[in-house]
Amino acid sequence: MRELRWAYVLFGLLALTSFLIVFLVPRPEAYWLLLPLLSVQLAAIWLAGRIIRVVRGHRQLRESYEQELDFARQLMESVDHGLTVADESGHFVYVNRAFAEMVGRPARDIVGRSPLEFTVPDDHHKLQQARVARQHGKSSTYQTRLRRADGEVVEVQITGTPRWHQGRLVGNFAAIVPLFLGQMRPPGGSPPPPAAADRPEPL
């Protein structure tokens, strides 16, 4: 839009110059001076039309992209399991509401940090193995334990998928599903007892 405004200003200056030539320059010489100016003005009109079409196309493309991005965010926020997006260095660039609740922190406090910071240290090797697999373009599924802000631990299953852009690996996507019906237990503890409806009836 800035370039388009400058184009209008220059076109106005050319038109003003043409009028000044008509009024100040004698007629025979004025025609010779007006000819190149009129040619430039016609070229400017043609370029202005093309610029307007480009600007409109860019605006429509941006609006369409924003709508699709908003739809994708709504979709990712609506699911019950965690979804994360990490960059090439392995740091979070996006986490959904479910994952933020899973680790007991606001999403804004998670973005920019490494998954290792929220994983039990004994399970760090699993994350490293999964990252190596994704660097080779492979997906992987594994179980690990996340440590919440309150110190409690939740066991999860993570499925990580490489994230590609124009043929280059730029990070990964991950789906995080809590195990044991989303209940948390301390490290080394036993799984929570089954619900009453799941217990076998006594004989």
Side-chain angles (χ1 to χ4, degrees), residues 6-189:
W6 277 110
Y8 284 139
V9 170
L10 293 176
F11 182 77
L13 292 175
L14 286 172
L16 179 61
T17 304
S18 301
F19 284 116
L20 291 176
I21 290 175
V22 170
F23 286 106
L24 299 178
V25 179
R27 284 296 180 269
E29 291 81 2
Y31 295 141
W32 291 105
L33 292 175
L34 283 175
L35 185 60
L37 287 176
L38 290 175
S39 300
V40 172
Q41 290 178 19
L42 291 175
I45 293 174
W46 178 76
L47 288 174
R50 292 181 62 87
I51 293 174
I52 290 172
R53 286 194 294 271
V54 169
V55 170
R56 287 177 178 173
H58 174 73
R59 183 177 60 187
Q60 293 173 355
L61 182 63
R62 184 183 62 185
E63 292 175 353
S64 176
Y65 171 76
E66 290 176 350
Q67 291 174 359
E68 292 181 3
L69 185 61
D70 184 61
F71 173 76
R73 285 175 176 168
Q74 291 181 17
L75 185 63
M76 296 177 74
E77 292 294 334
S78 66
V79 297
D80 294 330
H81 60 271
L83 292 175
T84 65
V85 181
D87 59 17
E88 193 173 2
S89 65
H91 293 80
F92 292 122
V93 295
Y94 169 81
V95 299
N96 71 342
R97 171 190 49 81
F99 181 78
E101 293 176 353
M102 204 177 297
V103 297
R105 300 174 185 271
R108 63 178 178 273
D109 293 343
I110 303 174
V111 172
R113 300 172 68 178
S114 168
L116 296 173
E117 300 181 45
F118 308 98
T119 305
V120 174
D122 291 343
D123 292 347
H124 282 186
H125 68 282
K126 297 181 180 180
L127 272 67
Q128 299 290 0
Q129 292 173 355
R131 184 179 179 188
V132 170
R134 286 194 287 270
Q135 287 175 343
H136 288 82
K138 299 178 181 179
S139 300
S140 60
T141 299
Y142 57 97
Q143 294 183 8
T144 186
R145 293 169 294 173
L146 301 178
R147 186 176 297 280
R148 290 171 47 85
D150 56 12
E152 291 185 294
V153 171
V154 55
E155 292 198 20
V156 298
Q157 177 173 288
I158 299 178
T159 300
T161 304
R163 177 182 166 213
W164 300 90
H165 178 68
Q166 296 182 350
R168 188 174 68 89
L169 186 64
V170 295
N172 67 83
F173 302 98
I176 302 94
V177 180
L179 303 177
F180 303 112
L181 303 178
Q183 300 182 42
M184 287 160 286
R185 63 185 179 90

